Amino acid sequence: MKKSIITIALILFATTQTFAHYLWIETNPNGAINKEQEVKVYFGEYTYGIIEKVNGENYPKVKDFTLWIVDASGVKKQLQVTVKENFYLAKFTPKNNGTHTLVLDNHKIDVVDYTKYDFGIFKTHYNSSVKVQVGKKSF
C-alpha cells in the first residue's frame, strides 16, 4: 500500500512539474497592412491565469524557443524577441492581406529521467500557433 501511495504521489509530482505549464502566444487576431503588430509569449498555467516571471525559477528552462511569422503568401521569417517582466515581446508588420500565422517552437528542453521511479524518460516539446487576419477574409 505504501508503495502505491508513493507511486501516485510521484506521478502527480511529475505531471505537475512537467505538464502543468505551457508556452502560449497572445496577439490581436486582426491586423492591418503596414501597421506594426505586437506579439507576446507567455509561460505559465493558462487555464488558471498563472503567468511566470521571465527571470523566475521555471521560465529559464523553456526560454530557448523560436518564434516565426508565416505570411499569407507562405514566406516564413523568424521574429526577434525582447525580454519583459513576465513575457517575451516580438513585433511584425504585415505587408499583404490574408491569413498570417505565428508559430512558436521549442526543441531545446532538457530530458527528464524518471526511470528510478519506473516512469521512464520524458522529453517535453512546446509548440504554439495563432492566426492573424489582415484585411477581409476571402472564402
Side-chain angles (χ1 to χ4, degrees), residues 31-33 71-73 94-100 132-136:
I33 292 178
D71 73 14
S73 61
K95 299 294 182 195
N96 53 4
N97 284 325
T99 303
H100 294 60
V132 175
Q133 184 62 43
V134 178
K136 291 185 179 185

Side-chain angles (χ1 to χ4, degrees), residues 51-138:
I51 298 173
E52 295 279 344
K53 293 200 180 289
V54 172
N55 62 356
E57 179 182 339
N58 295 315
Y59 218 133
K61 297 174 187 172
V62 299
K63 68 177 176 52
D64 294 325
F65 62 86
T66 53
L67 184 62
W68 304 85
I69 182 69
V70 182
D71 73 14
S73 61
V75 175
K76 182 179 178 181
K77 178 183 173 189
Q78 186 171 353
L79 298 177
Q80 298 301 312
V81 295
T82 56
V83 178
K84 299 297 181 184
E85 183 179 355
N86 63 348
F87 61 89
Y88 281 86
L89 178 68
K91 297 177 182 181
F92 74 98
T93 304
K95 299 294 182 195
N96 53 4
N97 284 325
T99 303
H100 294 60
T101 305
L102 290 154
V103 179
L104 178 144
D105 212 0
N106 191 340
H107 299 286
K108 298 178 182 178
I109 299 176
D110 293 338
V111 173
V112 180
D113 184 355
Y114 284 127
T115 54
K116 66 182 177 182
Y117 306 112
D118 293 327
F119 294 130
I121 298 173
F122 300 94
K123 173 75 167 134
T124 305
H125 176 90
Y126 291 99
N127 182 278
S128 182
S129 64
V130 65
K131 297 194 181 292
V132 175
Q133 184 62 43
V134 178
K136 291 185 179 185
K137 189 173 186 177
S138 60

